[in-house]
């Protein structure tokens, strides 16, 4: 992290401080900081609470019940987390925008010319998409911990006379609290550093710190103010991490590992079936409808293409998919979708291994007692509060000569992705490693096992589920990462998100349709990868 995180950012800050030294920082500048800071905290808090509201019940359903379509819903729920912001914005626009499917249906039903639903450029759009994005974080992290709890503890409390609610409140909640706090922290920081969602769906009325950094850097070239905003964002991140560390230190309880499948059953009462049904309804409404609108938009022709004259033949078409494989303008930077997919998958698998390789020793170090633990935890969580655009720009500025320059060192992109994914991996592995009873390791050691055999035969089987969850997070973060990749990817070797952005940045219905088609292909690739990981997780 010193070489590939602190050094590039340090170079940027030094350059910015030098450039802004002569101008100084006045009262007007601090007012420019207070406004986006207040909105950032407000929307992040509200988004986090709204994500927890459906997330915790859904995590319980996935941890305790077995029902048809569960694996499909788990994959479906994770898909939003890996999609680029531009794709998600396009999906919600296709569903709830002025020409979205829902507005078109209501206008046809009530014979009106004005769309009855106004979704774009509202706070509701920001909050809705944040819940759409982060629901999987709560369900994955809390659900995995919930599924690992020993049901016999709650049953013992019931045997001693506790009511179901009392057993839940005094047994289950204290055991889950560190995992809930950890997942809440991830969601809050993800909302706190939100960029694309606020920029594309919030409109000019709303700006988070991240959006203000982008505006000051790219539109006004006000680098000193952008640096101050970055410093404020990093300081807030450290404060949140310190609070989390204080709340969770010593709270994880070591538990005996459960037998696979223990405590998971089919719903038995109508209330349990109703709960499962409501869960499916929420997931379908929140996740499937926008993604379905995106897919159908890639298959329906509604407007004329650029330069097309005469009557538009609206209806179902595969033209957008066919045109992906045709280089009609003879562009030197044309890349077939398959090659972009190979680039994305290669970076994603490299990111997964790098993030796990860094995450394991970091999680072990965080579970040791010592004064340096708080500092290490804050350092590992710093990438969550850092702009990916700033990180990519730092690489371009700091690494200009071989062998570490952007052109000759292809691992720069997966390294950048790994730094973004590392906090997710560490937050997933740390509670799982902390829950391993020390007596199991001591027993293996007394029987003659080496430290390596203890790790391979004791630690790894117990934390295997958490490892796969961390791997899924790292894989998905890499597949959807756009900010740093846009600056680091070479023109002839883009990833799928970069290729999609190229289509969206060009005018015309054909380019928009091709962006929707490539987004659909990206979703298909990600869903396939998720299904493979889900299959491995249940083996």
């Amino acid at each position: 992290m010193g070489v590939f995180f602190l050094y590039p950012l340090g170079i940027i800050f030094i350059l910015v401080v030098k450039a802004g030294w002569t101008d100084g920082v006045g009262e007007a500048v601090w007012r420019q900081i207070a406004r986006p800071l207040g909105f950032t905290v407000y929307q992040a808090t509200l988004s986090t609470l709204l994500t927890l509201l459906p997330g915790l019940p859904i995590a319980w359903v996935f941890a305790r019940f077995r029902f048809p379509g569960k694996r499909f819903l788990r994959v479906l729920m994770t898909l939003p987390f890996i999609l680029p912001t531009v794709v998600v914005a396009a999906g919600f626009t296709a569903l709830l925008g002025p020409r979205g499917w829902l507005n078109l249906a209501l206008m046809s039903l009530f014979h009106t010319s004005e769309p009855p639903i106004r979704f774009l450029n509202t706070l509701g759009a920001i909050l809705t998409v944040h819940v759409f994005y982060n629901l999987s974080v709560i369900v994955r992290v809390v659900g995995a911990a919930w599924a690992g709890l020993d049901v016999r503890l709650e049953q013992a409390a019931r045997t001693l006379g506790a009511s179901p609610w009392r057993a839940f409140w005094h047994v289950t909640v204290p055991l889950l609290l560190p995992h809930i706090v950890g997942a809440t922290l991830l969601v809050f920081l993800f909302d706190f550093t939100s960029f694309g969602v606020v920029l594309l769906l919030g409109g000019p009325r709303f700006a988070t710190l991240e959006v203000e950094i982008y505006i000051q850097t790219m539109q006004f070239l006000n680098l000193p103010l952008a640096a101050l905003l970055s410093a404020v964002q990093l300081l807030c991140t450290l404060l949140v991490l310190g609070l989390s560390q204080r709340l969770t230190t010593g709270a994880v309880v070591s538990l005996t590992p459960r037998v696979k499948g223990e405590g998971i059953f089919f719903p038995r009462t109508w209330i349990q079936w109703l709960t499962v049904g409501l869960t499916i309804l929420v997931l379908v409404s929140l996740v499937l409808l926008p993604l379905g609108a995106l897919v159908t938009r890639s298959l329906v022709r509604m407007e004329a293409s650029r330069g097309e004259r005469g009557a538009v033949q609206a209806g179902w078409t595969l033209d957008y998919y066919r045109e992906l494989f045709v280089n009609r303008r003879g562009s030197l930077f044309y890349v077939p979708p398959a090659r972009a997919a190979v680039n994305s998958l290669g970076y994603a698998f490299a990111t997964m291994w790098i993030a796990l390789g860094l995450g394991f020793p970091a999680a072990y170090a965080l579970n040791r007692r010592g004064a340096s633990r708080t500092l290490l935890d804050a350092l590992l969580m710093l990438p969550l509060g850092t702009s990916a655009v700033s990180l990519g720009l730092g690489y371009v500025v700091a690494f200009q000569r071989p062998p570490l320059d952007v052109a000759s060192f292809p691992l720069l992109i997966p390294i950048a992705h790994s730094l973004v994914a590392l906090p997710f991996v560490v937050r997933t592995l740390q509670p799982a490693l902390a829950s391993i009873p020390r007596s199991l390791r001591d027993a293996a050691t007394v029987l003659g096992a080496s430290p390596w055999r203890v790790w391979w035969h004791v630690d790894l089987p117990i934390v295997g589920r958490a490892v796969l969850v961390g791997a899924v997070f790292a894989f998905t973060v890499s597949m959807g990462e756009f900010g740093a990749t846009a600056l680091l990817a070479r023109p002839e070797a883009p990833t799928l998100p970069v290729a999609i952005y190229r289509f969206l940045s060009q005018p015309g219905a054909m380019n928009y349709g091709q962006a929707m088609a490539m987004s659909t292909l990206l979703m298909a690739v990600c869903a396939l990868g998720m299904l493979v990981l889900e299959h491995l997780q249940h083996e």
Side-chain angles (χ1 to χ4, degrees):
M1 288 191 67
V3 175
F4 292 105
F5 181 73
L6 298 179
Y7 174 65
L9 294 182
I11 291 292
I12 285 186
F13 273 90
I14 290 173
L15 292 176
V16 168
V17 170
K18 285 183 178 177
W21 183 257
T22 55
D23 297 332
V25 179
E27 184 179 346
V29 173
W30 291 113
R31 283 200 298 269
Q32 287 182 279
I33 295 175
R35 185 178 177 184
L37 175 61
F39 176 71
T40 302
V41 174
Y42 170 69
Q43 63 84 23
T45 304
L46 203 54
S47 298
T48 304
L49 293 176
L50 291 175
T51 306
L52 286 170
L53 197 62
L56 292 178
I58 293 175
W60 173 71
V61 169
F62 274 80
R64 286 289 181 255
F65 293 110
R66 184 180 293 114
F67 53 89
K70 180 178 177 180
R71 187 172 299 183
F72 168 75
L73 288 175
R74 194 189 295 274
V75 174
L76 178 71
M77 192 170 42
T78 309
L79 270 181
F81 193 71
I82 62 179
L83 295 177
T85 309
V86 290
V87 175
V88 174
F92 274 91
T93 303
L95 178 65
L96 297 170
R99 297 288 295 169
W101 294 117
L102 191 55
N103 269 325
L104 289 176
L106 293 175
M107 290 164 65
S108 174
L109 181 64
F110 297 107
H111 305 289
T112 62
S113 58
E114 293 292 327
I117 299 176
R118 299 188 181 279
F119 180 75
L120 302 181
N121 301 331
T122 64
L123 179 61
I126 297 173
L127 300 178
T128 302
V129 178
H130 280 169
V131 175
F132 172 85
Y133 260 122
N134 298 319
L135 190 63
S136 64
V137 178
I138 298 294
V139 177
R140 286 276 179 180
V141 176
V142 180
W146 213 327
L149 289 185
D150 192 344
V151 293
R152 289 169 294 187
L153 295 175
E154 205 167 310
Q155 291 169 352
R158 296 289 307 279
T159 303
L160 294 173
S163 64
W165 167 252
R166 194 173 180 187
F168 170 77
W169 186 253
H170 291 285
V171 177
T172 304
V173 171
L175 294 174
L176 284 179
L177 194 57
H179 307 278
I180 294 175
V181 172
T184 304
L185 165 72
L186 289 179
V187 173
F188 181 85
L189 289 181
F190 197 78
D191 293 330
F192 190 83
T193 57
S194 179
F195 169 63
V197 172
V198 181
L199 184 69
L200 296 172
L201 296 175
R205 289 197 303 150
F206 304 105
T208 57
L209 284 172
E210 191 87 339
V211 173
E212 196 64 27
I213 292 170
Y214 172 80
I215 293 173
Q216 294 298 330
T217 302
M218 304 302 294
Q219 297 184 9
F220 300 117
L221 300 179
N222 192 347
L223 296 183
L225 180 55
L228 272 175
L229 291 166
S230 298
V232 170
Q233 183 169 286
L234 285 173
L235 180 61
C236 292
T237 303
L238 289 175
L239 289 175
V240 174
L241 292 174
L243 178 63
S244 171
Q245 185 70 27
R246 189 176 182 84
L247 292 175
T248 59
T249 299
V252 177
V253 178
S254 299
L255 297 173
T256 304
R258 287 178 47 199
V259 177
K260 185 179 178 181
E262 182 186 7
I264 302 176
F265 51 86
F266 280 100
R268 298 164 182 165
T269 65
W270 68 271
I271 295 180
Q272 292 176 350
W273 275 113
L274 179 63
T275 305
V276 172
L278 288 175
T279 298
I280 296 173
L281 181 64
V282 169
L283 289 178
V284 169
S285 302
L286 184 64
V287 180
L288 190 59
L289 288 181
L291 300 183
L294 176 68
V295 175
T296 53
R297 191 63 182 83
S298 72
L299 295 169
V300 175
R301 183 186 180 94
M302 299 177 65
E303 303 95 2
S305 300
R306 190 181 183 186
E308 186 179 10
R309 300 181 185 278
V312 179
Q313 294 182 351
W316 298 98
T317 180
L318 291 175
D319 287 349
Y320 300 139
Y321 288 89
R322 295 193 190 98
E323 289 297 319
L324 286 177
F325 301 91
V326 180
N327 185 14
R328 294 192 182 280
R329 299 179 182 176
S331 173
L332 295 176
F333 299 124
Y334 168 76
V335 176
R339 187 181 301 173
V342 169
N343 294 336
S344 290
L345 287 173
Y347 291 143
F349 280 111
T351 298
M352 193 170 64
W353 288 112
I354 294 173
L356 287 177
L358 294 173
F360 258 111
Y364 275 111
L366 287 177
N367 284 332
R368 293 182 181 275
R369 299 184 183 277
S372 60
R373 176 181 171 179
T374 302
L375 180 62
L376 178 61
D377 187 45
L379 179 64
L380 291 171
M381 293 298 116
L382 269 182
L384 279 178
T386 306
S387 163
V389 176
S390 299
L391 186 62
L393 182 62
Y395 279 18
V396 173
V397 175
F399 304 126
Q400 297 182 343
R401 297 177 181 176
L404 288 180
D405 63 323
V406 175
S408 58
F409 191 59
L411 284 179
L412 273 183
I413 291 179
I415 287 175
H417 291 182
S418 301
L419 290 174
V420 176
L422 185 61
F424 297 90
V425 175
V426 172
R427 275 287 180 264
T428 305
L429 292 179
Q430 184 197 354
L433 289 172
S435 67
I436 300 175
R438 184 177 179 82
S439 58
L440 295 180
R441 294 170 177 151
D442 293 341
T445 303
V446 169
L447 292 173
S450 63
W452 164 253
R453 291 192 69 183
V454 171
W455 182 84
W456 184 257
H457 292 288
V458 177
D459 288 15
L460 189 58
I462 294 175
V463 302
R465 183 176 296 174
V467 171
L468 283 172
V469 171
V472 169
F473 273 131
F475 182 88
T476 54
V477 164
S478 177
M479 287 295 293
E481 208 288 324
F482 173 71
T485 313
L487 293 174
L488 298 176
R490 289 176 296 173
E492 70 277 12
T495 60
L496 281 172
V498 174
I500 292 168
Y501 177 74
R502 287 182 182 177
F503 284 118
L504 285 176
S505 61
Q506 299 177 47
M510 179 58 73
N511 288 318
Y512 182 77
Q514 287 180 275
M516 298 298 102
M518 188 168 279
S519 301
T520 304
L521 294 177
L522 174 58
M523 279 198 299
V525 171
C526 293
L528 182 61
M530 294 296 301
L531 282 172
V532 171
L533 290 175
E534 281 289 326
H535 177 73
L536 293 175
Q537 188 174 355
H538 289 83
E539 281 295 319

